[in-house]
Amino acid sequence: MEPAVEIVDLVKRFGNTIAVDKLNLSIYDGEIFGLLGPNGSGKSTTLLIISTVYKPTSGDVYVYGKSVVKNSDEVRKYVGIAFQEPKALWVDKPYEILLWHAMVVGYSMSDARKVVRQVMEDLGVWEYRNKMFSELSGGNKKKVELAKVFIQKPRLAIFDEPTAQLDVITKHQVWNMIEDLRRNGSTIIVATNEMSEAERLSDRIGIMYRGKLRALGTPEELKDGIPGGDIIEIIVDGPVRESFVEAIKNDIDAVRIDLKDAVIRIYVNKGEEKIARVVDMFSRGGLKVRQISLKEPTLDDVFFYYTGAKLAGDNN
Amino acid sequence: MREDLRALLLVTLWDVRKVARYKVFLLMRFAWFIVQVSVFAVLISYLVTIRSLGTSGIGYYEYYLFGAYTALLFSISMFRGYEIAEEFEEGIIEYQLSLPIKRRILAIGRTIGGGIASFIYTLPMMLFILLLLGITNPVLIAIAVLSALAFSIGIVGLAINIVFGLKSGDKTDILFGVVDALLVRLSTIFYPLPFLSVFPPYFYAAMYNPLSNMADFLRALFFFQDLKIFIHAPPENLVSYIVGLSVGLSILAMLFIERRVEGGGWK
């Protein structure tokens, strides 16, 4: 697949702080790429370099083959970004902001009026078009920021935490609009802290932590990449011998097995492929299985695994 | 090329459309200016007597009016710097840097747009003093308007260079205060150049000061014969200075934004 974005040995320093540290990454044409990472992991800095707002300290980014260092004017023709924090002056009015934006990205005045109205209606902010920006709620400010990209329909659309501050209904609406944008030919990069958002939208996900890319793959690949990430939980009637547990462990190459009373937890990779074998072994071992379930890791687990981050009070 | 012109027009409009938002500010400045030129200028002109020049009675009052207008035009043009500083704080500059516009177009557009906006703010004041002085020659008025516009663009270019270079609200406030104080005082805005010759550093600073050149050009344009002993250079030199200032500072802003400026770092 042709890369829409190719990041090569990218480094960005702010004084003594390294925000992005030797980042290498390819984002393919037509995909939705989720960039995950905790606050301060370098996601936003990376996106701002792709959109030519920041200059790299070293390394380069190629957007459809054009360098952000040498051909930044060309790169900007391809890129549209919705910033994490909405960008407007307090006295600005949403309709004026978006009409100006639409014309800057190439619409004629009459087309600009139409597309601005359409997108504002889709996002439910048309009724606020003539209010001052400072009078809008946080969610509506965010919608105005998102509207810029939906109006622009750029070849490379970048969303930095697109649904932060939005209610659940609007979140789904925005996700649908992002998917529509991709169907119409855009490549999408979504930076987010929300695992559900990344999982819902992304073809592939990159996890950044402390300026580095810690993991890359499809959501399924990332989940399968956690050693012992799947848990097969079995409740049986009667006691289970240690030797039987050891036999299962060896047979299905389990990472770990916990046995407590009648509950057995088997930590394994690709549990969906091994569950039938486990049931068969229990059956042949004369143990009656009362209940069996397979728990796959969530993207939260993936995130914690790759970033080494822990929830407050979580000792596991 | 057509695409660039369209982008230039739109970037210019970014600043020009803001004029309407500052009606109260404009009205207050206009009211204050009327008081300044109708009351204080008259009073001070009683204190300053210029010996008869064998002319039509033109005196310090007329000299003062163009100085007051130039000082106002300068202050309002520099005020664009504060607005751009606000835009930095609100992230507008990052937004503009991400737009599909060449950086040099962005720089020139903001400079010209800021210059036009500042000039529009001061247009009522200029018309008011022309009315006071009974000047109706449309050619001279057009030249005055164009020179004021060029001056304004140059000063906005200076303000943009300072704000983008410093990227600091506090430093901007301090430096703008210093620049404003120095340039207004070390000029021929209110003090004719020949009288400054007793302080040579002051004299030379005033001679090369952009405000002196602008104010003296307006004086020369309308009252050259009457005020020529106070004007240090022929009008064509003065206007060349103003055009050079405008073009030079705009190009400097363009090069600076194109090569150096990036988002972030604003404190």
Side-chain angles (χ1 to χ4, degrees), chain A residues 237-250:
Chain A
D237 280 337
V240 180
R241 295 186 312 275
E242 285 287 340
S243 59
F244 181 73
V245 170
E246 198 59 31
I248 291 178
K249 189 176 178 188
N250 292 334

Side-chain angles (χ1 to χ4, degrees), chain B residues 49 55 100 182 201 209 235 259:
Chain B
T49 306
T55 58
L182 283 179
N209 187 323
R259 294 183 185 174

